[in-house]
Amino acid sequence: MTIISQDFYNRNTLEVAKDILGCKLNRRTESGILSGIIVEVEAYTQEDPACHAFKGKTPRAITLFKQPGIAYVYFIYGMYHCMNIVTEEYDRAGAVLIRALEPLPPTENTNGPGKLCKALNITKEFNETDITSKESDLWIEEGIIVPKKQIITTTRIGIKLAADFPWRFYIKENKFVSKL
DNA sequence: GATAAGATGTTA
DNA sequence: AACATCTTATCA
């Protein structure tokens, strides 16, 4: 399997979000490698009021300004983690939130951003992990090809700010996309 | 089915 | 006080 390089992430966030659908997320654990196809994502950029980086380089959001191709993992609602991939050139903030995976093999419950982090045991210790290297315990490879016609665009979920931005993308009729 | 409430801790 | 969530309870 071909690992996805930094160049892929060093682009406009909206483009990366659409192009990463169908790619395969891998997590190496003591009991083996857990994998899933990315089937649902959302985009966030520094000009976007809903983005953590909108207010600038706060301690939490500083990761978003770093080099593309690293993970941004944060803790939310007192019990869940959410995993993003940092995009855009160094010193420009941008990220793609991984919202759902199609698990391989189909055992884990990965149809939501908090659930997939729990299933793959992704915690804040993975913040700033280089996901373009197989030496990491978290990386992304090429997966299946998703035709443009199969990509559905909608507004993002669970936010109040910029709720009208059509920056959520998912694979049409995939059973593992988060509920309604 | 739908909608509401509760759990829980970090952030600025 | 809000929060890029999810589960459980309580209706119908």
Side-chain angles (χ1 to χ4, degrees):
Chain A
M1 277 292 180
T2 312
I3 200 158
I4 295 180
S5 68
Q6 187 182 45
D7 295 341
F8 179 91
Y9 304 107
N10 190 13
R11 295 186 292 144
N12 175 277
T13 306
L14 280 298
E15 297 303 315
V16 176
K18 284 179 271 193
D19 291 349
I20 208 160
L21 289 172
C23 292
K24 188 174 160 196
L25 178 66
N26 297 280
R27 165 82 173 91
R28 181 168 24 238
T29 70
E30 290 172 7
S31 49
I33 295 176
L34 303 173
S35 305
I37 300 293
I38 297 170
V39 299
E40 179 184 353
V41 296
E42 285 177 3
Y44 291 84
T45 75
Q46 64 184 18
E47 294 84 11
D48 163 19
C51 182
H52 293 163
F54 185 67
K55 295 201 174 82
K57 297 177 182 177
T58 61
R60 177 173 69 168
I62 191 73
T63 301
L64 293 164
F65 291 88
K66 296 192 177 182
Q67 75 273 24
I70 61 173
Y72 169 53
V73 182
Y74 62 90
F75 193 52
I76 191 69
Y77 296 125
M79 39 175 93
Y80 298 103
H81 293 273
C82 287
M83 180 195 161
N84 299 245
I85 300 151
V86 174
T87 58
E88 309 275 353
E89 63 187 348
Y90 181 81
D91 216 36
R92 263 188 70 78
V96 174
L97 169 68
I98 312 291
R99 284 197 56 88
L101 300 174
E102 175 172 341
L104 308 167
T107 48
E108 307 282 12
N109 209 12
T110 54
N111 60 334
K115 291 157 88 174
L116 76 89
C117 283
K118 187 177 174 209
L120 300 199
N121 197 22
I122 296 169
T123 65
K124 58 192 178 201
E125 297 181 11
F126 283 87
N127 196 40
E128 304 196 0
T129 296
D130 178 8
I131 58 161
T132 67
S133 166
K134 259 195 174 170
E135 315 215 344
S136 300
D137 290 332
L138 187 64
W139 73 97
I140 297 179
E141 298 171 345
E142 288 178 2
I144 61 171
I145 304 293
V146 181
K148 280 235 160 69
K149 298 260 189 219
Q150 295 289 109
I151 300 177
I152 307 294
T153 303
T154 70
T155 52
R156 294 173 292 182
I157 292 182
I159 56 169
K160 298 232 176 86
L161 266 25
D164 58 327
F165 284 31
W167 284 8
R168 170 173 174 253
F169 308 99
Y170 65 88
I171 300 177
K172 187 179 183 179
E173 288 170 9
N174 186 282
K175 300 177 205 65
F176 299 93
V177 169
S178 64
K179 60 122 205 162
L180 241 180

